[in-house]
Amino acid sequence: MSIGTALVIGASGGIGRAVAEELERRGAAVTALSRSGDGLDVTDEDSVAQTLSGLDHPFDLVFVATGALTCTREMPEKSLSDLGAEELLAQVRLNAVGPALILKHLKDHVPRQGRWVFAALSARVGSIGDNAMGGWYSYRTSKAALNSLIHGGAVELARNRKEAIAVCLHPGTVSTSFTEGYDHDKVAPDRAAERLVDVIENLTPDDTGGFFDYAGKEIPW
């Protein structure tokens, strides 16, 4: 299903920028917001409320690409001995609370009728059921928390907005500054964006509250 209007939050990052460009390529009118370009701090509720209140709602799609792999240290934790409260709380605040605050302040703008999609960028490592390696405690926890928050929001929205869809999406390992130094098979941002938008266009209300990868395959919680 084509997207007429879209709001991309975190549009200065590698994936956010690529998604905004892909949506525009497909004919969508895109409003792009970021901390560096617009001063939007998703961890500050006043900043979220003020920024979102000034937009021309509703959008067909809201795509949230904010987040970070680490906040107070250079590398994710490898073991419990590396775990610290400062990093854990900072990760949860940015990666989980931030997108949830955006959804909170968009709720009144979600149409009672008609398709509306909220997609937050999550990560496979946020899956508890898929975690066989351990480590990366703060990042994993923050993404698991994000998944839970968006799932809960989807349940609430579905009570009186039957065509609203709220999901978490895993983009794969994308070649950005975010993944520099990690030895994984990586996909270019434009290809990742193409795959993500394909998934978004094929979502239905039956998918709301779900956690999907770049191929549209559901990921275990």
Side-chain angles (χ1 to χ4, degrees):
M1 184 176 293
S2 62
I3 298 164
T5 59
L7 171 64
V8 177
I9 297 176
S12 64
I15 298 176
R17 182 185 303 110
V19 167
E21 291 172 352
E22 177 64 20
L23 287 165
E24 289 178 337
R25 188 186 69 79
R26 299 190 191 200
V30 177
T31 298
L33 296 175
S34 67
R35 181 167 186 167
S36 61
D38 305 280
L40 171 58
D41 180 358
V42 299
T43 68
D44 181 338
E45 187 163 5
D46 289 340
S47 177
V48 171
Q50 181 177 353
T51 301
L52 295 183
S53 67
L55 301 178
D56 186 14
H57 298 277
F59 296 92
D60 297 322
L61 165 68
V62 178
F63 184 85
V64 182
T66 55
L69 186 62
T70 60
C71 292
T72 68
R73 50 184 293 143
E74 290 187 4
M75 301 289 286
E77 309 94 340
K78 291 185 177 180
S79 67
L80 281 171
S81 61
D82 293 332
L83 181 63
E86 183 182 11
E87 175 67 12
L88 176 59
L89 294 173
Q91 284 278 299
V92 170
R93 189 179 180 198
L94 176 61
N95 291 339
V97 177
L101 288 176
I102 293 168
L103 183 57
K104 171 186 175 179
H105 286 277
L106 287 172
K107 182 184 174 184
D108 290 343
H109 301 287
V110 180
R112 297 279 176 167
Q113 295 182 331
R115 187 177 188 266
W116 181 87
V117 179
F118 179 95
L121 208 59
S122 187
R124 184 177 291 276
V125 296
S127 167
I128 296 172
D130 193 52
N131 181 5
M133 304 219 17
W136 289 37
Y137 289 95
S138 296
Y139 187 67
R140 286 185 186 275
T141 299
S142 68
K143 291 301 187 180
L146 169 65
N147 295 345
S148 180
L149 287 162
I150 302 308
H151 179 82
V155 171
E156 181 175 339
L157 286 172
R159 291 172 186 154
N160 51 25
R161 294 165 172 85
K162 301 301 184 184
E163 296 177 79
I165 303 165
V167 296
C168 292
L169 299 178
H170 166 61
T173 304
V174 184
S175 182
T176 67
S177 59
F178 195 80
T179 59
E180 284 181 3
Y182 291 93
D183 186 20
H184 297 286
D185 291 333
K186 300 175 185 178
V187 63
D190 57 348
R191 176 57 179 151
E194 182 181 4
R195 298 191 304 190
L196 288 170
V197 177
D198 283 345
V199 172
I200 290 168
E201 288 186 337
N202 286 290
L203 291 170
T204 73
D206 290 338
D207 297 316
T208 194
F211 180 22
F212 302 96
D213 71 8
Y214 52 83
K217 184 177 179 180
E218 196 161 7
I219 300 173
W221 296 119

